[in-house]
Amino acid sequence: MARITLTVNGKPVSAEVEDRTLLVHLLRDHLGLTGTHVGCDTSQCGACTVHIDGRAIKSCTVLVGQANGTSITTIEGIANGDELHPMQAAFRDNHGLQCGFCTPGMIMASIDIVRRHGAGLTEDILRQELEGNICRCTGYHNIVKSVLDAAGRMTTAQAAE
């Protein structure tokens, strides 16, 4: 058993968990943050994407010990109270989701993509970078439309979280 301390969505968290526990399971099973989805257990789908110290990471690839001392943001932590994050609002406004299973991971990955590319983000770059996130419903057209719309809405502070 290992004792870990993290900051999750701006709140300090400590837990005693088995060394082999994956971050995705700590978030879902121990902290009740079920917006982070387990889709494949092989890091292929991206449904479990969260931000660790501001970078998009697939949480099914991280042992909790590796995340010890970090700051983690999940889909539950990006809205400002009742005000959706611009990426969430753009996905809603542009119909960037259907079943919603991949949506939290898509949104978290997309925020990081916008943060890294800023005004230089193009549709080609976005499509290439989203290859690590699988959606089986939308065909990606409205996802791409949503992210490009959100990129125009996001301020520097929002992109940096």
Side-chain angles (χ1 to χ4, degrees):
M1 297 294 277
R3 182 128 193 95
I4 55 111
T5 58
L6 311 161
T7 301
V8 179
N9 297 330
K11 297 178 179 136
V13 171
S14 63
E16 195 164 308
V17 294
E18 289 186 46
D19 295 334
R20 64 183 177 169
T21 303
L22 294 171
L23 179 59
V24 68
H25 295 300
L26 174 75
L27 295 171
R28 290 182 58 80
D29 303 338
H30 296 273
L31 302 179
L33 298 170
T34 56
T36 303
H37 294 158
V38 178
C40 65
D41 284 328
T42 60
S43 78
Q44 300 296 310
C45 75
C48 67
T49 303
V50 299
H51 292 180
I52 299 178
D53 292 334
R55 292 183 52 227
I57 303 289
K58 294 176 182 176
S59 62
C60 74
T61 65
V62 178
L63 294 169
V64 292
Q66 295 171 296
N68 194 24
T70 64
S71 178
I72 296 170
T73 305
T74 69
I75 192 71
E76 291 91 349
I78 63 171
N80 184 11
D82 290 336
E83 182 182 339
L84 294 176
H85 184 282
M87 190 66 71
Q88 292 171 304
F91 266 70
R92 177 198 60 208
D93 296 347
N94 293 285
H95 308 287
L97 61 119
Q98 284 184 13
C99 81
F101 190 81
C102 72
T103 305
M106 283 285 186
I107 287 174
M108 298 306 288
S110 296
I111 291 169
D112 184 53
I113 292 167
V114 170
R115 179 190 58 78
R116 287 184 290 107
H117 291 282
L121 182 62
T122 65
E123 183 175 336
D124 287 341
I125 291 170
L126 177 58
R127 285 182 180 278
Q128 182 178 21
E129 293 231 5
L130 281 178
E131 285 181 357
N133 290 73
I134 295 174
C135 175
R136 292 175 173 93
C137 299
T138 68
Y140 294 89
H141 176 74
N142 286 344
I143 292 171
V144 170
K145 185 177 170 184
S146 299
V147 177
L148 294 174
D149 179 20
R153 298 180 189 199
M154 290 169 63
T155 65
T156 304
Q158 288 167 321
E161 290 185 341

